[in-house]
Amino acid sequence: MTELQIYIKSYFGIDESKLSILADLFEDDMLAKGSSFTKTGKRCDKLSFIKTGYLRVYNIHDGKDVTQWISSQGEFITDLSSMIFNTNSRWDITALTDCNLYTISKENYNRIAELIPEWHQLEKLFIAKCFMTLEDRIFSFLSMSAEERYNMLFNLKPELFNHVQLHYLASMLGMTPETLSRIRKKSIS
């Protein structure tokens, strides 16, 4: 069983026969460090599961480079609004490292419901979990100090701090690189 199949099975509770049908719609894909997964203003017509590597979701807003998220192994990546609503991407998504992906085209994604009748229920669960993650993220920005946000991310994804440039992490956490450096120094001592 591939990492993708293991994740899909644990996430959706889908049975083996349907798991195989779903996994077969994905193709192995490689994205080299520095390459774009999608660019702002272009259509995103794929969804990928990250087997290995790190991808940064970001945008330049009023001349400021803002990191929205760093996606890593075991996570899905896409510009959701572009993929679902056929709009131009609002985010740039770039590989921070060489990435091995399992990728499904929009065309194959749209075929899932034909092949797996209960897909609409599973997709609703997937979107709800994405929404819950977003709610948690918003709540952390509204209720937590910079240090608490740092600790939460460090506990959730400690490997990021060894593989991702710290100014990207600072941006994602809504703080300056200097604040992140001060918090890291304090937590190490």
Side-chain angles (χ1 to χ4, degrees), residues 20-58:
S20 232
I21 292 168
L22 184 55
D24 286 347
L25 295 173
F26 286 80
E27 296 180 6
D28 283 325
D29 197 8
M30 175 69 180
L31 191 63
K33 179 180 179 176
S35 298
S36 291
F37 180 86
T38 192
K39 289 190 154 293
T40 302
K42 303 286 184 190
R43 294 278 168 95
C44 184
D45 59 356
K46 59 188 173 184
L47 168 77
S48 293
F49 178 81
I50 303 169
K51 183 177 177 183
T52 62
Y54 299 91
L55 291 117
R56 180 170 81 110
V57 181
Y58 69 101

Side-chain angles (χ1 to χ4, degrees), residues 49-84:
F49 178 81
I50 303 169
K51 183 177 177 183
T52 62
Y54 299 91
L55 291 117
R56 180 170 81 110
V57 181
Y58 69 101
N59 197 316
I60 308 298
H61 179 73
D62 291 335
K64 184 178 178 185
D65 185 323
V66 179
T67 299
Q68 189 250 19
W69 190 249
I70 306 289
S71 289
S72 58
Q73 181 177 344
E75 296 178 339
F76 285 97
I77 186 80
T78 192
D79 184 305
L80 192 59
S81 64
S82 182
M83 173 87 172
I84 300 299

